[in-house]
Amino acid sequence: MGSCICNPLSASRHLLLTESNSPKLPHSKRRASTVVAYYGLKTPPYKLDALEPYMSKRTLEMHWGEHHRDYVECLNKDLDKSDLFYGYPMDELIKFTYNNGNPLPEFKNAAQVWNHDFFWESMQPGGGDMPKFGVLEQIEKDFGSFTNFREKFIEAALTLFGSGWVWLVLKREERRLEVIKTSNAISPLVWDDIPIISLDMWEHAYYLDYKNDKAKYVNVFMNHLVSWNAAMSRMARAEAFVNLGEPKIPVA
Ligand SMILES: [Fe+2]
């Protein structure tokens, strides 16, 4: 199971137990948190065996089916204690609970739920190889070449101390792509960066398939798994907010 230590009840069982244990108040007087499971477990956008032989079905069953599920259930359990965060979009919840580097108890599970959703969508069957069009052009502009970017991404993954994540992000202010690494659950959303690609460097992500051979895992991700299609659509959305060329309408 995941590193979260909350009672691993499923969201639906948790809902039933909370309902059956709650006093029989008229419906209008019950707290919203006793009748709502806040966030659900999203499925990856492919079957659990679709990334084989590069990421096994066994890994997905454990990583998504146990660890990711555990983060969702623990988050719902955290949120059940108070109505304070009811209805927050996940990215806002993460930024708010990061609390300027003084994280609230809800932060870890909220960030890990978002990070994992983003990670599954950062891969695709038949992925890897080279990005195309705008993403490639921007990588070449900001890193000098795709090879330089690739080396930088792999180096970041292999020099990350402990558990964490490696990201290709678009920096809003600098208007450029950058490779960053974050520890534990931290997501670049907390600094208002726009994530384009992520790689999970927690041991649970690679140990079943690659044991301690992190270099092999990272190279396989770059060669066969990373979804440049996802990167392209994320960049297209990001460019609506970050002007990577010159604005057509000059700022007054
Ligand atoms: Fe993970």
Side-chain angles (χ1 to χ4, degrees):
M1 292 302 292
S3 55
C4 173
I5 53 167
C6 86
N7 189 355
L9 292 171
S10 72
S12 55
R13 273 188 65 206
H14 179 58
L15 175 65
L16 285 171
L17 286 174
T18 317
E19 276 279 70
S20 63
N21 292 344
S22 63
K24 299 294 175 201
L25 292 173
H27 191 269
S28 61
K29 291 192 177 171
R30 289 183 202 166
R31 287 170 61 236
S33 59
T34 60
V35 293
V36 174
Y38 293 83
Y39 295 100
L41 177 66
K42 271 175 73 177
T43 47
Y46 35 75
K47 290 185 176 170
L48 298 189
D49 63 358
L51 301 180
E52 289 194 337
Y54 307 112
M55 189 174 282
S56 66
K57 184 181 177 189
R58 236 178 109 222
T59 287
L60 266 288
E61 284 172 344
M62 177 272 299
H63 193 176
W64 171 74
E66 295 180 21
H67 291 277
H68 188 172
R69 183 185 303 276
D70 203 34
Y71 293 128
V72 172
E73 289 173 1
C74 290
L75 174 63
N76 284 331
K77 191 168 177 169
D78 286 344
L79 295 177
D80 200 38
K81 291 173 191 157
S82 150
D83 289 343
L84 187 61
F85 299 115
Y86 179 73
Y88 265 61
M90 184 65 88
D91 54 344
E92 292 299 320
L93 181 65
I94 290 167
K95 288 180 199 174
F96 188 86
T97 57
Y98 181 65
N99 193 27
N100 284 314
N102 306 287
L104 305 180
E106 295 86 352
F107 173 75
K108 186 190 106 179
N109 289 313
Q112 283 293 74
V113 170
W114 192 93
N115 291 348
H116 282 86
D117 285 336
F118 192 85
F119 175 54
W120 306 131
E121 291 170 9
S122 293
M123 298 184 288
Q124 66 172 76
D129 203 14
M130 295 272 291
K132 295 189 183 81
F133 311 120
V135 177
L136 181 59
E137 281 171 25
Q138 195 64 36
I139 284 177
E140 288 174 339
K141 184 175 164 206
D142 294 334
F143 296 93
S145 68
F146 179 72
T147 308
N148 286 352
F149 153 74
R150 198 180 179 284
E151 279 172 11
K152 201 162 183 181
F153 192 92
I154 291 173
E155 189 197 346
L158 298 182
T159 54
L160 176 71
F161 182 75
S163 298
W165 298 82
V166 180
W167 309 81
L168 174 65
V169 298
L170 183 62
K171 309 285 282 185
R172 283 178 201 264
E173 294 299 315
E174 297 85 343
R175 300 196 298 167
R176 66 186 307 271
L177 292 170
E178 208 165 283
V179 169
I180 64 168
K181 48 189 173 180
T182 60
S183 290
N184 298 314
I186 294 176
S187 155
L189 292 178
V190 302
W191 301 299
D192 220 16
D193 292 339
I194 303 177
I196 303 296
I197 286 294
S198 73
L199 175 60
D200 190 336
M201 289 305 295
W202 286 58
E203 196 179 77
H204 64 222
Y206 58 83
Y207 193 79
L208 279 181
D209 293 329
Y210 299 101
K211 297 291 180 282
N212 287 320
D213 196 347
K214 287 199 250 186
K216 191 167 182 193
Y217 166 62
V218 178
N219 274 283
V220 163
F221 174 80
M222 293 304 289
N223 294 341
H224 301 286
L225 293 173
V226 61
S227 175
W228 292 118
N229 290 332
M232 207 152 61
S233 62
R234 288 162 176 172
M235 278 289 286
R237 282 201 299 277
E239 282 183 64
F241 303 99
V242 181
N243 200 324
L244 295 172
E246 289 306 314
K248 290 192 177 114
I249 300 175
V251 177

